[in-house]
């Protein structure tokens, strides 16, 4: 078993489930929709950034950074290793969600390195990669450390599957690279995940732009969710995810997609599952529940009904399958596998919600054509 | 002698009854609760629609696969242990499982990205099975070529182990250069599974297993002679080189097919032959082979039942259960408590 396999095994547990640990709240878009994993605190001329529990199962971890203007003398009591000079000039981003936020802030020219360009959708970033302005630094677990050091980034924005000591980002810190953990993917609510754009705003010197974007998009999301809440009498049952051989990893209701379904006026079939992470169920058990599903969202990598049948022949017996209620988030894909759902949808939760509302309650948005979703044929 | 044979009859009858009981239990006990009466009605086509699908499409295929795959892997392991005169030999020492894995990895990680993105899922089902079969077959050919040239069977064992390591290195390399969704599909395959197998696939698995078992049963006499050593075998007229090849073919068909349909099932092949020797108290392959086949079915049925025990819709991967049963058995052998090692 190589490291990547182990990391992958962990990722399997996480990938269908974007969740958080501490925030617990009923469905709704208010209290639970604020980012729980980071905090920005204004001080005299600088900002203190606190990132909380930036990886799975971490409890009580707090990483503190001091974001200082370039010309500011480091105040007493602050260690140089904890200082990031802002606005940053050279940045490496490990996740496509980070890239989406950089793009939304029109700050992609600050990027010098990314992880795995094959999974990137944005053509502007891909162009920069092909011109050599942005280079591929490898995958987590197989990072090209020497390349990263020679790129001289002001920060490397990483995401943590496990603690830094388990990956080689620990080594990078020792080599003087400032590794900033971004925990956006652990946020439970789409708006909480999007709120991380405010951090990108501070880092890139585009604070006002980030705040205004965040306010605008959040308002649109809340307005739509409220509209749905008022106008929906019946909540169709929604199935989520796909079986992998004998196992179906089920996302809890307090996950990114679970929240979207509830906000879009659906009833998530596992609305009683409120674990901190996705839970493996037998396909038999999920099948039994899924027989009442009206809509089936995100069935793995399937792009057609026959793909689903090939993955698990038993699924063709589900009424939702035979009635054509299966939708996947694979409308905007690159040849190599980059999916805009994991990219721009993070900065357009309002548009994503619109898509899901139009799938679950087409009568509410008759004009809307799905942006991220396709109906499987 | 008469007492011995009545003990064997008793053991054989007992284990056949056990297979039947466990088969029924496997149908009754699942990760979801269905009444026993509903299960029986469903089997005869009179159940509720939901219950009928779960019994006939989930539980029955799984139980049938457990019986077939358990028997096939165990007999394959028995053949390997006798052939190599090594109590720790199993189907995996030949690299057959690794070969099947290579076939799957090549298909998932190299071929499918050349087609469309969804090819990964389209390739599941028969595509992966054929790839795994081809991989296992290719490794079998190499081992046979080596076996023809090498007089010492231990050389074949070493070549098999080296080949398995080399293949896993190639698979690692393929993984390194592949995208995450393909990688994920591959990792899931390596976890093994009994459930997601359709009836046509079960039929194919049953036919391949039957072929392997028939070949194996035809070889019981040379196998018994081999227990006395190669020199003895030659003196009683066993043609060692052709015997070896036939045994390798039988073991590879059995293990390769099971791995192709169910993924690599851990430890069954190594552990069950020892359980069989303990239960039947004999090394005579005429009794041992059917006995080991039945023990294999028992162990895999039992593992499948245990895997559904957590309840509430949760399951434990069947491979972890077989390992947890298998590892104590192998430890027992290594520590020499049973004296099994001395029989080789």
């Amino acid at each position: 078993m190589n490291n990547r396999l182990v990391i992958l095994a962990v990722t399997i547990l996480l990938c269908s489930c974007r969740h958080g640990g501490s925030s617990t709240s009923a469905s709704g878009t208010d209290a639970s929709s604020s980012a729980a994993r980071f905090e920005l605190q204004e001080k005299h001329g600088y900002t203190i950034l606190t990132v909380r529990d930036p990886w799975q199962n971490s409890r009580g971890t707090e990483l503190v950074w001091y974001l200082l203007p370039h010309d500011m003398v480091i105040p007493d009591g602050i260690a140089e290793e904890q200082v990031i000079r802002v606005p940053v000039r050279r940045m490496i981003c490990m996740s496509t969600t980070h890239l989406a936020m950089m793009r939304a802030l029109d700050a992609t020219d600050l990027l010098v390195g990314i992880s795995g360009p094959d999974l990137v959708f944005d053509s502007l970033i891909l162009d920069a990669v092909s011109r050599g302005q942005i280079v591929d630094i490898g995958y987590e677990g197989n990072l090209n450390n020497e390349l990263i050091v020679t790129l001289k980034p002001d920060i490397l924005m990483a995401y943590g599957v496990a603690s830094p000591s388990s990956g080689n980002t620990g080594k990078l810190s020792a080599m003087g690279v400032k590794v900033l953990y971004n925990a956006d993917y652990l946020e439970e609510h789409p708006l909480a995940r999007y709120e991380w754009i405010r951090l990108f705003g501070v880092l890139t010197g585009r604070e006002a732009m980030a705040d205004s974007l965040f306010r605008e998009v959040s308002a649109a999301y809340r307005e739509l969710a409220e509209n749905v809440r008022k106008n929906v009498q019946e909540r169709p049952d929604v199935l989520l995810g796909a079986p992998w051989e004998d196992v179906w990893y089920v996302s809890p209701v307090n996950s990114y997609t679970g929240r979207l379904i509830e906000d879009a006026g659906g009833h998530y079939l596992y609305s009683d599952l409120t674990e901190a992470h996705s839970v493996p169920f037998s396909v038999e058990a999920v099948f039994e529940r899924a027989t009442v599903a009206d809509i089936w969202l995100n069935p793995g990598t399937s792009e057609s009904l026959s793909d689903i049948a090939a993955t698990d022949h038993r699924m063709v017996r589900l009424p939702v399958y035979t009635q054509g209620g299966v939708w996947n988030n694979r409308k905007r894909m690159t040849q190599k596998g980059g999916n805009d759902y994991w990219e721009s949808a993070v900065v357009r939760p309002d548009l994503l919600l619109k898509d899901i509302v139009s799938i679950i309650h087409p009568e509410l948005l008759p004009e809307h054509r799905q942006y991220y979703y396709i109906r499987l044929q | 002698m008469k007492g011995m044979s009545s003990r064997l009859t008793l053991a054989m009858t007992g284990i056949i009854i056990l297979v039947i009981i466990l088969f029924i239990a496997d149908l009754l006990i699942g990760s979801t609760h269905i009444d026993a009466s509903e299960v029986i009605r469903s089997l005869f086509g009179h159940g509720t629609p939901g219950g009928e699908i779960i019994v006939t499409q989930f539980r029955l295929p799984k139980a049938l696969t457990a019986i077939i795959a358990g028997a096939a892997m165990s007999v394959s392991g028995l053949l390997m242990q006798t052939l190599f005169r090594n109590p720790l030999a199993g189907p995996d020492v030949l690299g057959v499982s690794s070969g099947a894995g290579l076939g799957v990895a090549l298909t998932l990680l190299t071929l499918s990205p050349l087609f469309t993105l969804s090819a990964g899922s389209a390739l599941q089902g028969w595509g992966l099975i054929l790839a795994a079969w081809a991989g296992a077959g290719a490794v079998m050919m190499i081992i046979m070529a080596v076996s023809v040239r090498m007089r010492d069977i231990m050389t074949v064992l070493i070549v098999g182990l080296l080949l398995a390591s080399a293949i896993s290195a190639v698979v690692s390399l393929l993984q390194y250069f592949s995208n995450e969704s393909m990688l994920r599909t591959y990792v899931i395959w390596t976890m093994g599974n009994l459930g997601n197998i359709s009836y046509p696939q079960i039929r194919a698995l049953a036919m391949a297993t039957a072929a392997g078992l028939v070949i194996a049963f035809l070889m019981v006499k040379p196998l018994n002679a081999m227990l006395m050593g190669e020199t003895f075998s030659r003196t009683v007229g066993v043609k060692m080189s052709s015997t070896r090849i036939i045994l390798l073919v039988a073991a590879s068909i059995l293990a390769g097919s099971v791995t192709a349909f169910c993924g690599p099932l851990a430890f069954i092949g190594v552990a069950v032959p020892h359980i069989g020797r303990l239960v039947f108290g004999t090394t005579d392959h005429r009794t041992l082979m059917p006995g080991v086949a039945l023990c294999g079915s028992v162990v895999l049925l039992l593992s499948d039942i245990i895997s559904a025990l957590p309840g509430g819709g949760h399951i434990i991967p069947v491979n972890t259960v077989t390992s947890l049963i298998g590892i104590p058995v192998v430890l027992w052998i290594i520590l020499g408590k049973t004296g099994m090692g001395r029989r080789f």
Side-chain angles (χ1 to χ4, degrees), chain A residues 4-5 245-246 282 284 307 311, chain B residues 31-32 59 118 176 196 313:
Chain A
R4 214 170 150 204
L5 266 187
E245 302 290 9
D246 277 352
S282 71
E284 177 182 308
D307 284 351
T311 311
Chain B
S31 52
T32 54
R59 294 190 186 174
S118 61
Y176 183 78
N196 187 12

Side-chain angles (χ1 to χ4, degrees), chain A residues 34-318:
Chain A
S34 322
R37 305 257 178 175
F38 84 100
E39 193 186 348
L40 292 166
Q41 229 182 314
E42 287 297 328
K43 281 281 169 182
H44 310 290
Y46 64 95
T47 309
I48 303 175
L49 161 68
T50 311
V51 180
R52 294 198 184 89
D53 297 332
W55 42 83
Q56 282 296 314
N57 301 324
S58 90
R59 291 276 178 277
T61 307
E62 279 200 348
L63 305 176
V64 179
W65 292 97
Y66 298 91
L67 313 181
L68 268 60
H70 286 273
D71 53 1
M72 189 179 192
V73 180
I74 299 176
D76 287 341
I78 295 178
E80 201 282 325
E81 302 84 69
Q82 282 181 284
V83 171
I84 294 171
R85 294 290 184 174
V86 290
V88 295
R89 290 159 184 160
R90 299 174 67 78
M91 190 162 165
I92 294 176
C93 286
M94 297 274 294
S95 160
T96 54
T97 60
H98 310 165
L99 299 181
M101 295 196 178
M102 293 295 278
R103 177 69 202 266
L105 293 173
D106 203 12
T108 51
D109 54 336
L110 303 178
L111 289 170
V112 291
I114 60 173
S115 169
D118 281 358
L119 294 178
V120 172
F121 181 83
D122 191 287
S123 57
L124 200 72
I125 293 171
L126 288 174
D127 283 349
V129 172
S130 62
R131 282 197 308 271
Q133 286 167 344
I134 299 176
V135 298
D136 181 8
I137 54 139
Y139 289 94
E140 179 167 346
N142 279 307
L143 292 177
N144 187 338
N145 286 352
E146 291 180 20
L147 179 63
I148 290 170
V149 172
T150 57
L151 284 172
K152 295 195 173 64
D154 296 327
I155 58 167
L156 182 147
M157 179 145 335
Y159 57 91
V161 170
S163 68
S165 54
S166 69
N168 53 6
T169 46
K171 193 178 285 172
L172 282 170
S173 304
M175 289 159 89
V177 176
K178 287 177 174 159
V179 180
L180 171 57
Y181 274 92
N182 180 321
D184 63 353
Y185 82 106
L186 293 167
E187 297 285 1
E188 290 179 354
H189 197 281
L191 291 182
R193 193 181 288 189
Y194 180 42
E195 198 176 337
W196 282 76
I197 197 168
R198 293 181 47 233
L199 169 60
F200 283 82
V202 178
L203 287 172
T204 60
R206 290 159 168 84
E207 233 168 320
M209 186 181 183
D211 287 347
S212 124
L213 275 173
F214 178 65
R215 272 197 307 273
E216 206 177 297
V217 169
S218 310
Y221 184 102
R222 284 172 208 280
E223 192 189 341
L224 178 56
E226 184 57 22
N227 220 345
V228 169
R229 203 180 56 77
K230 277 188 197 148
N231 291 304
V232 161
Q233 269 93 42
E234 278 192 29
R235 289 179 168 259
D237 290 309
V238 182
L239 171 68
L240 187 61
W244 285 325
E245 302 290 9
D246 277 352
V247 183
W248 195 312
Y249 285 93
V250 176
S251 291
V253 66
N254 49 314
S255 63
Y256 182 70
T257 325
R259 293 294 169 109
L260 279 165
I261 291 170
E262 299 281 323
D263 282 345
H267 170 253
Y268 179 37
L269 277 175
Y270 278 87
S271 57
D272 54 337
L273 187 70
T274 51
E275 298 291 319
H277 45 76
S278 57
V279 178
F281 279 90
S282 71
V283 179
E284 177 182 308
V286 179
F287 185 93
E288 194 188 34
R289 231 183 240 217
T291 49
V292 299
D294 303 297
I295 303 283
W296 183 358
L297 294 180
N298 306 359
T301 54
S302 295
E303 289 183 349
S304 67
L305 290 176
S306 57
D307 284 351
I308 293 182
T311 311
D312 192 320
H313 63 97
R314 298 166 295 197
M315 296 304 127
V316 304
R317 291 165 194 273
L318 283 174

